[in-house]
Amino acid sequence: MRKRVGFTVFILLVATLLVGVSFVWGGDLLDSYSGAAAPAPSIAESPAASELPTRKAAPAAPTAPTLPPALLHPAPVTVNATGFWSWTVLDRRTGTMAGSANASTTQRTASMIKAWLASDYLRRNPNPSKSNLSQLTTMIRNSDNAAASYFWGLDGKSASISRLVQLCGLTDSKAYIDWASTLVSARDAARMGACIADGRAAGSKWTDWVLNEMRNVEKDQKFGITPALPAAEQAGTAVKNGWIARSDGKWHVNCLAIGTDWVLSVLTVYPTSKGEEYGHDICSSVTKQLQA
C-alpha cells in the first residue's frame, strides 16, 4: 500500500515538473531574461550622400526690364506765380502719375475739352459726313467755338462728360453749364489725354486721325508745353490747350500735350491783369523742370 501511494506521489511530481517547464519555455520569461539582446527591428539604410539624385535649383524668375525715364517724368517742380496752378505727368507705358499736391482740384477746361468732344463723336459715329469731319478739323486745329457748341449738342451735352468720366476713369471731374465750363482736375486731364492716345476715346478707326489734328493745331495754339520740349519732339506732340478770360477777372489757361511716352496737363488761374502769356510761361516752366 505504501509503495502504491509513493508511486502515485512520484507520478504527480513528475507531471507537475513537466507542465512548469513547458510554461517557462513557451512564455516570455526566457526572452525577457535571456543574456542575448533581442534583435532590433529592421530599418532601411539611408543611401550615402553621393548616391542621392542631384536636384537642380529652380531657375530664378526673370527680372522685369527697367524702363528708362520718359521724356517728361516725375521731378520737383517749383513755380513762383500768382494765383492757382497745378500739374500732372502720366507715363503712357505704365499708367503711373505724379503731380502737384493740388492735382485733384478742378478748374474749367475751356477749349481743352474739344479734343474729347471730337473723340466722343467719332467713336459713336464712325462714318461721319464730310461736312461734320471738316467741322471737327476746324474745332481742333482752329479751336472754333461754334463748332464746339455744335458737337456739344450732338454728343448729348452733359451726357458726353458722363461718358468721359466713365470711359477714361476720371475721379474728380463733372459737367457744368456748358462745354467750356466742364470742371476737370490736372490728374483727370492727364487721364483724358491718355484715353485719347490709347484709342478708348475715339476708337481704333479714328484715334490716329484725332492725334494728327492735335499735332497740327494753329501755330499760335502750341504755347506752353510744346515750346519747352526738345526741337525734335515738338512736331510729333499732340496738343489741345484751353484759354479764356472770364468775367470773374481771371484768366483760365490750361495746357494738354501727348508725347510718345507721356502726357502732361497744367491748369492755371490768375488775375487777368497778368495777361494770357503769364499762363503760357507757367506751362513752359513746369515742362522744363520735368525734363531734369
Side-chain angles (χ1 to χ4, degrees):
M1 185 70 178
R2 291 180 178 176
K3 290 182 179 180
R4 184 175 300 174
V5 171
F7 180 76
T8 300
V9 171
F10 174 76
I11 293 298
L12 289 173
L13 288 172
V14 170
T16 301
L17 179 61
L18 290 174
V19 170
V21 170
S22 175
F23 173 78
V24 173
W25 185 261
D28 293 337
L29 294 179
L30 289 181
D31 287 340
S32 300
Y33 293 99
S34 172
S42 176
I43 300 177
E45 292 183 359
S46 298
S50 61
E51 297 175 357
L52 289 173
T54 302
R55 180 177 296 176
K56 295 181 179 180
T63 303
T66 301
L67 294 173
L71 174 64
L72 300 187
H73 53 268
V77 173
T78 302
V79 179
N80 184 16
T82 300
F84 171 90
W85 58 274
S86 64
W87 62 273
T88 293
V89 65
L90 181 149
D91 189 322
R92 289 182 56 192
R93 303 165 301 178
T94 63
T96 57
M97 297 188 298
S100 55
N102 59 352
S104 63
T105 302
T106 59
Q107 299 292 350
R108 299 171 192 262
T109 61
S111 293
M112 189 171 65
I113 198 65
K114 291 172 181 174
W116 164 257
L117 296 178
S119 299
D120 190 33
Y121 177 79
L122 290 168
R123 186 188 68 260
R124 297 178 306 106
N125 299 276
N127 298 299
S129 66
K130 290 183 178 179
S131 174
N132 279 356
L133 198 59
S134 176
Q135 288 197 70
L136 288 171
T137 292
T138 300
M139 179 175 67
I140 296 178
R141 294 195 184 197
N142 305 108
S143 202
D144 186 83
N145 290 339
S149 295
Y150 172 68
F151 286 105
W152 169 250
L154 292 182
D155 286 344
K157 298 184 177 180
S158 62
S160 180
I161 306 306
S162 296
R163 288 192 293 272
L164 166 62
V165 170
Q166 182 175 12
L167 187 63
C168 299
L170 309 193
T171 57
D172 313 312
S173 306
K174 61 182 179 180
Y176 182 64
I177 304 176
D178 55 26
W179 58 265
S181 299
T182 300
L183 296 174
V184 68
S185 65
R187 65 183 183 182
D188 274 358
R191 288 170 175 147
M192 181 178 72
C195 189
I196 292 171
D198 66 23
R200 284 174 290 161
S204 58
K205 181 177 180 179
W206 289 102
T207 293
D208 288 343
W209 185 89
V210 171
L211 290 173
N212 184 65
E213 298 304 297
M214 294 173 70
R215 293 185 186 106
N216 288 281
V217 298
E218 293 294 330
K219 187 176 180 180
D220 62 351
Q221 296 177 32
K222 292 187 176 184
F223 59 77
I225 296 173
T226 304
L229 297 173
E233 298 290 331
Q234 294 182 12
T237 299
V239 177
K240 192 68 202 85
N241 294 330
W243 60 99
I244 185 171
R246 301 190 62 85
S247 58
D248 59 3
K250 295 178 181 178
W251 267 109
H252 294 248
V253 176
N254 304 319
C255 302
L256 175 65
I258 302 169
T260 303
D261 52 9
W262 55 269
V263 178
L264 175 61
S265 66
V266 184
L267 309 183
T268 74
V269 182
Y270 54 88
T272 53
S273 59
K274 296 287 185 180
E276 182 183 341
E277 289 74 17
Y278 192 78
H280 301 185
D281 292 342
I282 294 174
C283 292
S284 292
S285 177
V286 172
T287 305
K288 291 174 182 177
Q289 292 179 68
L290 293 177
Q291 295 176 67

